Amino acid sequence: MMARKRRSTTEINTAENASVPKRRYTSAQRNHLEEMMVFNHKKCLSWYHKYTNDVGELGPEGMEKFCMDIGVDPEDLVMLVLAWKMSAKSMGYFSSAEWLKGLTELQCDSVKKLQSKLESLRLYFNDPLTFKSIYRYAYDFARDKDQRSMDIETAKLMLNLLLGKQWKLYTLFAKFIDQSKYRVINKDQWCNILEFSRSITTDLANYDIDGAWPVMLDEFVDWIKNSNS
């Protein structure tokens, strides 16, 4: 009896693929798939101008409409990530160059494409180094450009958005700020607040009074201790 010849892997795969019916797409479906896969620079810029005012600027009113279109609250942190991606200079405004920079990187030229990226953008906050970069960016993004420091009300709003849910001492810090003499927060204080929230335990047991913390945080620790005594 002659030995039975074994089929090669290529022959088996070819036979299996031949038995699977190929999916047929209509012309409209093919066009839709192509649109979702290919980034169109002109389409992206045209999308930008949907939100601009009479002088061609995307300002607060356009931003509100943009947020409504993508189904996101203007105060959602994902908008801060998007602004960070664009390297936007001012809160509530996107220039055409900023818009194209961020959305070209994300390969988004339509509402649907950007909506499909929102969850992945939110995941940026899970990475400590990326979060630190966004946190530091937020200071210059949110402060009044006519001032070197951030006014205290804006600082409280941004700190609540960025640290309110993850820093257990944030509520106490907000109360401390309310009763303090501070009316602005400088960038050194801003950056150290993040480091403090990450490194100092809730019971302040590892706080070093001789550490290089800003006076504001030394006063915050004293305020907590005096409140508990």
Side-chain angles (χ1 to χ4, degrees), residues 24-39:
R24 296 181 180 278
Y25 293 98
T26 65
S27 177
Q29 288 174 325
R30 283 197 300 272
N31 290 338
H32 176 70
L33 286 171
E34 288 175 1
E35 285 181 6
M36 291 299 291
M37 293 173 64
V38 179
F39 176 78

Side-chain angles (χ1 to χ4, degrees), residues 45-66 88-99 145:
L45 192 57
S46 177
W47 183 26
Y48 171 80
H49 287 296
K50 179 180 177 182
Y51 306 112
T52 56
N53 54 26
D54 293 339
V55 294
E57 177 185 67
L58 197 164
E61 289 186 10
M63 192 69 69
E64 186 176 347
K65 188 175 189 306
F66 171 59
K89 291 182 173 59
S90 300
M91 184 184 291
Y93 296 86
F94 290 153
S95 70
S96 59
E98 292 167 349
W99 175 276
K145 299 305 178 288

Side-chain angles (χ1 to χ4, degrees), residues 1-5:
M1 180 181 293
M2 295 180 63
R4 185 176 181 182
K5 185 179 179 181

